């Protein structure tokens, strides 16, 4: 019982004080990890849907979901998106397609609705 009271008091004290730099760093890393998972989930859904014209939607959705996690999630989304586009541009895909993908990435990261890129007929589960 005593430990429960101590934990309650500690949580009240910590809630009223700004986060320490270590806690902020930990939060950034946690948000980045969760944002990377959001990016993976969007990629997995894109592969599963296999729907022509949905690429930009999944780019926007992955970046949007990751950025909603906070600065760490937005950072992870940018790093992953930039690396993916760099790799794809080196693999022979066109610069125009890469530019359009990056536009969708930035759209989602900025908090705008990813459904802007949603193609008609894409199943509702996505």
């Amino acid at each position: 019982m005593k430990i429960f009271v101590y934990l309650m008091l500690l949580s009240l004290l910590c809630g009223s004080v700004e986060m320490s730099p270590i806690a902020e760093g930990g939060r950034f890393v946690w948000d980045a990890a969760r944002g990377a998972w959001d990016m993976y989930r969007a990629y997995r859904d894109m592969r599963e849907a296999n729907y022509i014209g949905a690429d930009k939607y999944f780019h926007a959705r992955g970046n949007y979901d990751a950025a909603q996690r906070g600065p760490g999630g937005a950072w992870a989304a940018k790093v992953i998106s930039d690396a993916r586009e760099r790799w794809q541009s080196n693999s022979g895909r066109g610069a125009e397609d890469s530019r359009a993908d990056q536009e969708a990435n930035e759209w989602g990261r900025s908090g705008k609705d990813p459904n802007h890129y949603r193609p008609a007929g894409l199943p509702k589960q996505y």
Side-chain angles (χ1 to χ4, degrees):
M1 184 68 175
K2 286 183 182 181
I3 194 154
F4 178 73
V5 172
Y6 291 135
L7 288 174
M8 289 296 291
L9 288 172
L10 184 61
S11 68
L12 289 172
L13 288 172
C14 290
S16 64
V17 179
E18 287 188 34
M19 290 176 63
S20 72
I22 293 172
E24 286 180 18
R27 178 61 183 234
F28 184 90
V29 170
W30 178 246
D31 290 347
R34 292 172 63 205
W37 179 255
D38 291 330
M39 296 291 288
Y40 169 74
R41 195 177 65 239
Y43 174 76
R44 186 190 63 207
D45 288 349
M46 179 180 71
R47 301 285 296 189
E48 180 183 297
N50 195 26
Y51 196 87
I52 295 174
D55 178 47
K56 306 304 180 260
Y57 165 72
F58 287 107
H59 278 265
R61 194 193 87 189
N63 277 270
Y64 176 84
D65 290 346
Q68 295 304 301
R69 303 283 185 187
W75 174 83
K78 180 160 180 42
V79 168
I80 291 168
S81 296
D82 289 349
R84 179 176 54 212
E85 292 310 317
R86 233 182 341 269
W87 177 81
Q88 286 181 345
S89 66
N90 291 337
S91 68
R93 291 187 63 184
E96 184 59 35
D97 185 55
S98 184
R99 196 171 14 262
D101 286 350
Q102 284 289 45
E103 178 184 301
N105 293 337
E106 291 172 18
W107 180 275
R109 260 194 320 272
S110 70
K112 296 177 183 171
D113 186 6
N115 287 314
H116 172 77
Y117 289 97
R118 186 181 188 88
L122 181 66
K124 293 184 190 278
Q125 72 191 55
Y126 304 110

